[in-house]
Amino acid sequence: LILLDSLLQETYHWKMFLRLNHYCISLPPLLLLSSLSSLTPSSSSCSYHSSKSGLVLSCSGLNTTADIPEDDIETAQTVVRVEISDSSVDCVDLSHFRRFHHLQEIKVTKSGLKKAICSDYKVRHRKATHSLRFLRSLDLSFNWLSHLDNSITSLHHLERINLSNNNLSQISMVFSTFTSLKYLNISNNNLKDNLQPRTLESLPATLDYLDLSGNPWTCSPSLSWLYPWSLGLSHSLRDQLDQVHCNVINSHQVSPLLQVMQYYTTKVNPFCPEKCLCSFYHFATRVEMAPSFTVLVNCSRQGLTTFPTLPPHTTMLDLSHNNLDHHSYSSLDLAQQHYGVSGLLLSHNQLPAIHTKLTKMRLHRAFKADHNLLTEIPYDFSLHLQSHANDQITLGHNQWKCSCNAEITNMNLLAKVEDLEEVTCSEGSDSQQIVGQKVSDLDPSILCPPSAEGRKNEQLLQLVCVMLAMLNIFVFSKLLYDYWQYKKTGKLPRIIHWIPFL
């Protein structure tokens, strides 16, 4: 038993040991292996242990795969699995595994891998690939991989690939070369919305396990292809994909990825305006009910001259940086989808006025009309904006005509404007003196100076107010005096006798 236990110890100093112990050559190789002790450096260590299918070589503390000990041919051919962990290996050099002719699994975990396969020696790797024709499993989990290229496609006999718990944000390879692939794990990485369709569409029909969970997927329309692709999968694979969730853009909501992509495919994308990007602004699943959702339509910087038609449930519409002018309002049809818009971004256009149609839109989230040609705000529209507590309003960089009765000088409205420092008076204002000044800094006496008649009326009103104040003081004093007299003498005030019914 002692001999069999020490049999499992191996070192890369095997050949040195043979030179010092010539008498051992006649012994069986396995017996010689039993007499070895580990001679590896203190920073790295390798050991063997047995499994049902053969020997397993486990190493730790390696700086490169070249540090794997070189064994005699007979021992190397019995190795079926190589495990490397807790090391500092930048990439896997397949040429260092070619001596393991019956190798079935390579497992490199917690070793700081930054690249899957070293690509500097392509010829050497092609030769190694031929020697690794029995390799069926590749586990590179718990490393620092950020990008996966086609370097591992040469190992086309693989049946299991584990790339979980890395930092993969991009996968440019296709899996069509793995004709026998059954297991693929890409969970707990950094995949968001830039996964190309060909990456998963190339998966072979032999696949029966696919794990994409634990990634920060965004509920982006760029992943809409996932739903039609999933329709051709087996029930087990679809059940696995149903466990994957995505993050709704600009929200803290998390929703089932496949369900979101289904609604993109059937409810949003067919109605999204050309040149625009339509994404979910809100998406919430409900028990035994269809999910509720709202849509954000982004048509920014598309050179639009008209208001586009919108998908159902549109709540946010971004038309900033376009060429909208006063003719554009004719295409704004509130009988269709524009009525429900609660946020409208019209910044950086050429709009000279705010049409009354906008008053019928909800706009309780946002109204941004900065960098236009606006000169005034309709009274009704001003009240409409003031009626919402949390809406975002920007009105800066326009050609505002400031006057005493202009809504742009309404302090209640200005209190809600976010870019108040950019709201200034332009040519056409009541006083040339205020042109170029910030509306928030205007002097009321200059903006609304009183007229001569107004001053006279004001003085008259002040006189009336003084007289009324004196009269109130007299009446109050008389009441106090009469009360004092009543308490002292019991005599009622004379006015009581003048009121017959008392």
Side-chain angles (χ1 to χ4, degrees):
L1 292 175
I2 295 176
L3 291 177
L4 291 176
D5 180 69
S6 61
L7 171 65
L8 303 177
Q9 304 300 318
E10 181 60 39
T11 75
Y12 65 84
H13 295 283
W14 165 249
K15 292 183 179 179
M16 183 183 296
F17 184 86
L18 288 179
R19 295 193 191 100
L20 297 176
N21 300 275
H22 295 290
Y23 66 93
C24 294
I25 296 177
S26 59
L27 295 176
L30 294 180
L31 187 58
L32 289 177
L33 186 61
S34 68
S35 66
L36 288 176
S37 60
S38 177
L39 299 176
T40 56
S42 58
S43 60
S44 62
S45 62
C46 293
S47 62
Y48 283 95
H49 63 272
S50 60
S51 68
K52 294 181 179 180
S53 54
L55 284 181
V56 177
L57 173 60
S58 300
C59 296
S60 62
L62 304 185
N63 293 321
T64 172
T65 51
D67 293 340
I68 298 175
E70 295 188 9
D71 310 296
D72 65 283
I73 297 177
E74 188 173 349
T75 303
Q77 288 185 350
T78 61
V79 175
V80 295
R81 185 164 77 246
V82 175
E83 298 177 348
I84 301 174
S85 63
D86 301 311
S87 298
S88 299
V89 180
D90 287 338
C91 59
V92 176
D93 191 335
L94 294 179
S95 63
H96 299 146
F97 297 85
R98 62 184 300 183
R99 60 184 176 274
F100 305 113
H101 288 221
H102 294 86
L103 187 64
Q104 299 177 15
E105 180 180 355
I106 296 177
K107 184 176 182 180
V108 184
T109 60
K110 300 180 181 179
S111 296
L113 279 180
K114 298 177 182 177
K115 193 173 184 179
I117 306 296
C118 304
S119 58
D120 297 334
Y121 310 101
K122 294 183 180 180
V123 176
R124 197 166 68 184
H125 281 193
R126 282 198 295 269
K127 294 180 179 179
T129 301
H130 179 72
S131 302
L132 297 173
R133 59 185 179 276
F134 294 106
L135 187 65
R136 296 294 180 269
S137 178
L138 179 65
D139 187 346
L140 303 180
S141 58
F142 293 95
N143 283 291
W144 297 346
L145 298 175
S146 60
H147 174 255
L148 189 63
D149 55 23
N150 289 318
S151 58
I152 69 171
T153 55
S154 58
L155 302 172
H156 52 270
H157 295 297
L158 288 177
E159 296 179 357
R160 295 175 58 89
I161 300 177
N162 188 352
L163 301 169
S164 63
N165 295 282
N166 277 279
N167 193 36
L168 289 173
S169 59
Q170 185 176 1
I171 301 177
S172 59
M173 65 169 291
V174 294
F175 294 91
S176 56
T177 57
F178 305 106
T179 56
S180 302
L181 188 63
K182 299 178 181 178
Y183 177 100
L184 178 61
N185 190 343
I186 321 179
S187 63
N188 299 305
N189 277 280
N190 197 31
L191 297 173
K192 295 181 179 179
D193 62 352
N194 57 347
L195 188 66
Q196 297 301 316
R198 64 190 184 97
T199 301
L200 295 184
E201 289 175 352
S202 62
L203 288 171
T206 55
L207 191 72
D208 54 25
Y209 183 90
L210 176 62
D211 192 350
L212 302 177
S213 63
N215 285 284
W217 298 106
T218 55
C219 298
S220 168
S222 62
L223 295 175
S224 298
W225 59 268
L226 282 171
Y227 174 68
W229 167 75
S230 68
L231 296 179
L233 300 178
S234 63
H235 291 294
S236 61
L237 285 178
R238 282 184 59 86
D239 290 342
Q240 294 165 28
L241 290 176
D242 284 338
Q243 308 305 314
V244 183
H245 290 75
C246 63
N247 302 305
V248 179
I249 302 173
N250 298 322
S251 171
H252 298 292
Q253 293 176 318
V254 178
S255 301
L257 178 62
L258 272 190
Q259 187 181 42
V260 172
M261 297 309 130
Q262 175 186 358
Y263 273 74
Y264 267 129
T265 304
T266 59
K267 304 293 186 181
V268 178
N269 293 347
F271 308 100
C272 188
E274 187 180 0
K275 298 182 180 180
C276 299
L277 177 65
C278 300
S279 58
F280 285 121
Y281 186 78
H282 154 85
F283 192 99
T285 56
R286 298 183 291 185
V287 179
E288 298 181 356
M289 295 179 64
S292 64
F293 65 90
T294 55
V295 180
L296 183 154
V297 179
N298 186 350
C299 301
S300 178
R301 301 179 187 275
Q302 299 301 320
L304 298 181
T305 58
T306 59
F307 283 82
T309 56
L310 304 177
H313 306 286
T314 297
T315 189
M316 294 292 291
L317 177 59
D318 187 354
L319 296 173
S320 60
H321 296 273
N322 281 291
N323 299 319
L324 301 178
D325 56 19
H326 66 285
H327 297 294
S328 304
Y329 286 118
S330 61
S331 60
L332 183 59
D333 188 0
L334 295 177
Q336 297 181 358
Q337 299 88 6
H338 293 97
Y339 174 78
V341 173
S342 60
L344 180 62
L345 280 59
L346 297 173
S347 307
H348 295 271
N349 279 280
Q350 302 170 22
L351 296 170
I354 295 176
H355 200 279
T356 55
K357 288 183 178 181
L358 299 184
T359 308
K360 299 179 181 180
M361 301 175 73
R362 295 180 180 178
L363 301 182
H364 62 268
R365 297 182 187 274
F367 177 75
K368 297 187 177 184
D370 55 282
H371 295 86
N372 277 278
L373 305 176
L374 301 177
T375 59
E376 60 182 4
I377 299 179
Y379 175 74
D380 291 342
F381 189 73
S382 176
L383 292 180
H384 186 50
L385 293 180
Q386 296 175 45
S387 64
H388 305 300
N390 300 317
D391 53 345
Q392 301 175 354
I393 303 174
T394 59
L395 300 172
H397 296 281
N398 280 286
Q399 300 177 4
W400 299 114
K401 294 181 179 180
C402 301
S403 65
C404 185
N405 297 320
E407 283 300 312
I408 194 61
T409 61
N410 186 316
M411 300 306 296
N412 292 326
L413 175 63
L414 294 179
K416 302 176 69 64
V417 176
E418 294 184 346
D419 60 342
L420 185 58
E421 294 297 313
E422 310 299 331
V423 181
T424 59
C425 298
S426 300
E427 294 291 339
S429 299
D430 279 0
S431 173
Q432 189 66 24
Q433 186 178 353
I434 64 176
V435 173
Q437 288 190 22
K438 298 176 183 178
V439 174
S440 58
D441 296 339
L442 292 179
D443 185 350
S445 63
I446 298 177
L447 182 64
C448 300
S451 61
E453 185 179 354
R455 290 193 186 96
K456 183 178 179 180
N457 293 333
E458 184 179 358
Q459 292 174 355
L460 181 60
L461 287 174
Q462 290 175 350
L463 179 61
V464 172
C465 289
V466 171
M467 294 177 63
L468 289 174
M470 294 178 64
L471 182 60
N472 285 333
I473 293 173
F474 171 77
V475 171
F476 187 69
S477 300
K478 183 67 171 65
L479 286 174
L480 288 177
Y481 174 76
D482 290 343
Y483 178 75
W484 178 76
Q485 285 288 339
Y486 174 75
K487 282 291 190 182
K488 184 178 179 181
T489 64
K491 185 178 179 180
L492 292 173
R494 185 177 301 175
I495 192 174
I496 298 297
H497 302 289
W498 297 350
I499 306 177
F501 54 85
L502 292 178

